[in-house]
Amino acid sequence: MKSQFGRLMGPVLVTLIALVALACASAADARAGTLHGSAAYRERIMLPPDAVFEAQLQDIARADAPATVLGRARLDPAGQPPFRFAIAYDEAAIRPGGRYTVRATVTHRGQLLFTTDRIRPVLDGSAEPVELLLVSARRGPSAASPADGLGPLPASFEGELPGAGNPVRWHVDLFPEGRFQLRTTHVGRPEPNRFDDIGRWSREADSGRIVLRGGREAPVFLLPVEGGAALRKLDLEGRPIESALPDRLQRQPGFTPIEPRLFLGGMFVYMADAANIVLCADGRSVPVAMEADYQALEAAYQKARSRPGERLLVSVEGLLALRPSMEQGQPPRTTLVVGRFVGIWPGQRCPAAAAHAGR
């Protein structure tokens, strides 16, 4: 009897297990979404065979905070345009009324070649595939002069603007070679309430807008006004904010650059008793101070390198501060002080989302 019962129950158990597995798979599929799209550029340029394309789905609901990456698609090698991609994401992370966009880049050996420079709203009810237009990243900023509406550089701009519940104090440093530094301080909030960023800025020839692209992912749009005496803060899509509340950052009497403290990635090298890093965010080559958590960084580098003088991608939490130059008679130099060593990745370059990387 038991043998007959077992023979009867065997197929039943197999069927039940299959049904449970199918139900679990269906539930998982219900939670997974896919965003399809394509990207291209207008220039008649053939990409190198080892170029890389990456598209990111980003949550940009908060204008006063970095964007959140919800999913990404990577083509390595990229091939030639149009680049067709599919970004998988968790539908549970999508909120009704949220703001989502897709940002895309094309890089070659860590160097940015093409990027999107507009916010492309997605997941807003439209079922159409996403179509992105990439622009050349080699369009440098316009030469700054008193006659172009921006005024002489370098310059610092400050202002207190409305935020989500609390005012936000903005400080922007613009450098003539196309770099920027940004600090936002959330007034009245408990610490940590200060966030720093660095990256590249460009000037749009048609609109005159200044576009800051750094670690915040979503670009920041500013419009020079009053002959460069102020910068008007625009919304996430680069349009004027229709409000009676303040929207200006005033040029400061003197150049008063901040010393950014933030997470940084870069191509690090130690050779001939000197340490140097090329920052992914803005392409700067800066010395690294042998203090704080530097020893942990050097120890990891010495263990991971395959040959002397090899640059390796590292990540640190650090401070970019002025330090006396090692060369006699030279002015102080911006130097990276490693507050905390995070990690090292041999064989990798700066992420595709970074504006520049080590050479």
Side-chain angles (χ1 to χ4, degrees):
M1 179 67 69
K2 289 184 178 179
S3 176
Q4 184 178 2
F5 180 79
R7 287 196 299 273
L8 291 173
M9 289 301 295
V12 174
L13 287 174
V14 170
T15 302
L16 287 174
I17 291 172
L19 289 173
V20 170
L22 181 61
C24 292
S26 299
D29 290 341
R31 293 194 299 270
T34 305
L35 185 69
H36 295 271
S38 64
Y41 50 80
R42 292 184 177 137
E43 288 83 352
R44 296 178 179 272
I45 298 175
M46 290 288 291
L47 290 178
D50 53 345
V52 177
F53 171 85
E54 182 173 276
Q56 294 184 355
L57 171 61
Q58 300 176 350
D59 182 344
I60 57 170
R62 292 186 56 188
D64 57 350
T68 301
V69 178
L70 303 179
R72 67 184 76 218
R74 183 179 175 90
L75 304 178
D76 186 2
Q80 303 299 326
F83 310 105
R84 307 190 186 281
F85 59 87
I87 304 176
Y89 63 94
D90 183 1
E91 290 186 341
I94 306 303
R95 303 183 305 276
R99 291 172 60 86
Y100 306 96
T101 188
V102 174
R103 183 187 180 193
T105 57
V106 176
T107 59
H108 178 236
R109 298 181 181 178
Q111 298 294 316
L112 187 71
L113 301 182
F114 292 92
T115 182
T116 47
D117 66 347
R118 296 287 190 276
I119 288 181
R120 170 61 164 86
V122 295
L123 305 182
D124 53 0
S126 173
E128 296 294 325
V130 180
E131 294 184 357
L132 303 176
L133 178 63
L134 300 165
V135 299
S136 174
R138 297 179 180 178
R139 298 183 308 176
S142 303
S145 67
D148 71 358
L150 178 57
L153 298 180
S156 298
F157 299 82
E158 289 187 358
E160 192 168 288
L161 307 180
N166 296 75
V168 180
R169 186 177 302 118
W170 287 66
H171 178 109
V172 176
D173 297 321
L174 295 181
F175 297 83
E177 66 272 22
R179 293 188 298 104
F180 78 86
Q181 299 181 154
L182 169 64
R183 171 169 293 167
T184 52
T185 304
H186 296 255
V187 180
R189 287 190 185 179
E191 294 183 356
N193 65 341
R194 190 180 76 184
F195 303 94
D196 293 345
D197 194 13
I198 63 173
R200 305 288 297 184
W201 68 268
S202 60
R203 184 80 179 273
E204 294 181 336
D206 53 350
S207 67
R209 295 181 304 190
I210 301 297
V211 188
L212 312 184
R213 297 184 179 89
R216 298 168 66 93
E217 302 295 349
V220 175
F221 293 95
L222 303 166
L223 181 65
V225 294
E226 303 170 18
L231 298 176
R232 184 180 185 185
K233 174 71 169 60
L234 306 178
D235 68 12
L236 287 170
E237 296 179 0
R239 299 175 301 194
I241 301 172
E242 300 300 333
S243 170
L245 298 174
D247 63 356
R248 307 293 172 94
L249 307 179
Q250 299 295 328
R251 179 186 288 267
Q252 299 304 291
F255 181 51
T256 55
I258 62 171
E259 292 189 339
R261 186 183 298 274
L262 70 169
F263 283 96
L264 292 165
M267 304 303 294
F268 174 83
V269 63
Y270 172 81
M271 187 170 58
D273 296 327
N276 174 275
I277 188 169
V278 177
L279 301 176
C280 292
D282 61 14
R284 265 186 298 175
S285 175
V286 300
V288 181
M290 296 181 181
E291 58 185 84
D293 203 27
Y294 169 79
Q295 292 301 326
L297 168 60
E298 184 184 324
Y301 171 81
Q302 296 286 18
K303 183 178 180 180
R305 72 171 190 176
S306 59
R307 63 183 184 277
E310 180 183 16
R311 284 193 179 270
L312 298 180
L313 179 64
V314 302
S315 179
V316 302
E317 183 179 4
L319 172 71
L320 292 172
L322 285 177
R323 290 287 190 270
S325 174
M326 298 296 292
E327 301 177 14
Q328 188 174 5
Q330 296 298 313
R333 289 192 61 184
T334 297
T335 302
L336 172 62
V337 180
V338 180
R340 181 170 68 90
F341 169 65
V342 177
I344 188 166
W345 293 272
Q348 297 191 31
R349 309 286 294 181
C350 287
H356 291 268
R359 294 165 178 79

